[in-house]
């Protein structure tokens, strides 16, 4: 079965891991 | 941190729902694949919310989906590299 996952999906940016500027 | 439930999600706009799910999934994926966590989370967030909620309750299904995403990503990158060198 072919995977339905898309390698071109947009990267997720977690708020809780965001680096302070 | 309180568990993320379907009713909690239902009260948020669609884009916010994905962000909320991502915030829960990301730390788990980050432990497995620190460098690919953002990309893998993005791929998994294209799955239906109901299935994502199920995965949060069932770490085994989340883990197997993450491994599937890694395999898809690596196959995709190998293909791109092959096209570049061709």
């Amino acid at each position: 079965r072919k995977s339905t996952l898309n390698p071109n999906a947009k990267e997720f940016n977690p708020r809780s891991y965001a680096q302070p500027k | 941190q309180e568990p993320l439930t379907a009713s909690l999600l239902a009260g948020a706009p669609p884009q916010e729902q994905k962000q909320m799910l991502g915030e829960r999934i990301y730390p788990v994926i980050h432990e497995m694949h620190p460098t690919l966590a953002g990309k893998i989370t993005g791929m998994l967030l294209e799955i239906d919310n109901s299935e994502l909620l199920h995965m949060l309750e069932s770490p085994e299904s989340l883990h197997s989906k993450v491994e599937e995403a890694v395999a898809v990503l690596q196959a995709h990158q190998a293909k791109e590299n092959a096209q570049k060198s061709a």
Side-chain angles (χ1 to χ4, degrees):
Chain A
R1 189 177 69 87
K2 195 177 180 297
S3 175
T4 53
L5 294 169
N6 169 21
N8 296 311
K10 191 166 151 280
E11 199 160 321
F12 175 76
N13 293 306
R15 280 192 291 245
S16 49
Y17 280 64
Q19 299 294 320
K21 279 176 189 166
Chain B
Q1 202 182 25
E2 61 179 311
L4 190 58
T5 60
S7 56
L8 200 61
L9 267 190
Q15 195 48 47
E16 181 64 18
Q17 292 178 10
K18 290 295 183 186
Q19 185 73 30
M20 289 163 77
L21 285 161
E23 297 289 345
R24 304 299 175 107
I25 293 170
Y26 183 87
V28 181
I29 299 177
H30 192 267
E31 283 197 7
M32 299 170 71
H33 296 280
T35 56
L36 295 172
K39 186 68 182 179
I40 296 171
T41 306
M43 288 168 70
L44 262 53
L45 285 179
E46 293 191 342
I47 299 169
D48 282 349
N49 288 357
S50 58
E51 199 178 330
L52 290 169
L53 279 174
H54 167 73
M55 281 188 236
L56 279 171
E57 287 168 7
S58 161
E60 278 169 35
S61 56
L62 178 56
H63 284 193
S64 70
K65 207 67 176 175
V66 170
E67 294 306 336
E68 185 184 331
V70 172
V72 168
L73 203 54
Q74 286 174 344
H76 175 73
Q77 283 167 350
K79 204 173 156 188
E80 278 198 336
N81 290 341
Q83 282 172 350
K84 267 179 216 159
S85 58

